[in-house]
């Protein structure tokens, strides 16, 4: 499966759905220099192990890895150039980081939307679809779900293609 040459691609799915592997495969088929922008932070041992597994899976495949938990738009701007493919994994971890640092989420989303209109790289974004379950019981979790939903709408509107991945099976829902 190949991605469009025009505009970003958004890959959504639940936890352990296969969305990251699918997104990596999309990028690897392009034959372009590959950049992996990781937004996760290791707050505990389990997350450190997850990050290590992700790094190991890309080892020797030609990826240049950038780790940036907060300044997503700034880093994208610094590495953006024609003939380059960039995978951002993942937007929901970025939202978590922004919320934990009490950043202006709406302003960060607006900056990303503005960048997407001008981006020159082939961009693929991975994110967890969190709006399909029950309403969370606490305010922070509801705010997170709402922020993620708004961000997905922004990125999907700017994307040429959107996929939903479940059980390792991608379903193209836009493009």
């Amino acid at each position: 499966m190949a991605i469009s040459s025009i505009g970003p691609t958004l890959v959504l799915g639940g936890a352990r759905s296969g969305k990251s592997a699918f997104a990596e495969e999309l990028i690897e088929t392009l034959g372009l220099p590959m950049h992996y922008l990781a937004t996760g932070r290791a707050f505990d041992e389990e997350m450190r192990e997850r990050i290590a597994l992700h790094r190991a899976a890309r080892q020797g495949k030609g990826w240049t890895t950038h780790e940036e938990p907060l300044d997503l738009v700034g880093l994208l701007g610094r590495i953006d150039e024609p003939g380059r493919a960039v995978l951002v994994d993942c937007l929901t971890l970025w939202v978590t980081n922004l919320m934990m640092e009490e950043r202006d989420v709406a302003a960060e989303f607006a900056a990303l939307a503005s960048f997407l209109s001008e981006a020159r790289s082939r961009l693929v974004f991975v994110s967890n679809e969190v709006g399909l379950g029950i309403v969370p019981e606490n305010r922070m979790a509801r705010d997170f779900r709402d922020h993620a939903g708004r961000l997905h709408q922004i990125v999907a509107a700017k994307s040429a293609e959107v996929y939903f991945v479940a059980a390792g099976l991608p379903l193209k829902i836009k493009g």
Side-chain angles (χ1 to χ4, degrees):
M1 191 169 292
I3 59 176
S4 168
S5 62
I6 302 170
T9 297
L10 174 61
V11 179
L12 295 168
R16 297 285 158 261
S17 64
K19 62 191 174 299
S20 292
F22 174 71
E24 289 173 16
E25 186 178 308
L26 286 176
I27 292 276
E28 289 170 354
T29 63
L30 295 174
L32 299 173
M34 301 180 298
H35 291 257
Y36 196 103
L37 198 162
T39 62
R41 292 196 285 189
F43 289 112
D44 58 28
E45 186 58 34
E46 186 267 343
M47 192 61 174
R48 277 188 282 284
E49 290 173 12
R50 284 179 183 253
I51 290 171
L53 287 172
H54 271 275
R55 283 182 188 140
R58 292 188 307 274
Q59 195 71 24
K61 292 186 176 180
W63 289 94
T64 299
T65 300
H66 309 269
E67 296 182 2
E68 179 50 62
L70 294 167
D71 190 19
L72 176 65
V73 178
L75 180 55
L76 283 171
R78 289 188 297 279
I79 65 173
D80 183 43
E81 59 183 59
R84 179 175 280 178
V86 179
L87 173 59
V88 176
D89 195 355
C90 87
L91 290 176
T92 42
L93 286 175
W94 181 55
V95 170
T96 299
N97 297 334
L98 294 174
M99 290 178 69
M100 297 300 288
E101 297 295 326
E102 298 182 0
R103 300 282 281 264
D104 183 341
V105 174
E108 297 282 352
F109 290 2
L112 180 60
S114 178
F115 171 80
L116 293 178
S117 297
E118 306 297 324
R120 300 169 299 158
S121 299
R122 301 286 296 281
L123 299 171
V124 176
F125 293 91
V126 174
S127 199
N128 292 291
E129 177 50 66
V130 296
L132 297 174
I134 61 173
V135 175
E137 67 177 27
N138 67 74
R139 168 98 190 231
M140 184 174 192
R142 286 189 301 275
D143 287 348
F144 169 78
R145 179 208 51 195
D146 294 348
H147 288 318
R150 282 190 285 278
L151 178 58
H152 294 159
Q153 290 179 55
I154 290 166
V155 176
K158 299 277 188 179
S159 292
E161 297 175 339
V162 178
Y163 293 89
F164 186 82
V165 181
L169 302 172
L171 174 64
K172 192 174 197 178
I173 57 177
K174 179 181 178 183

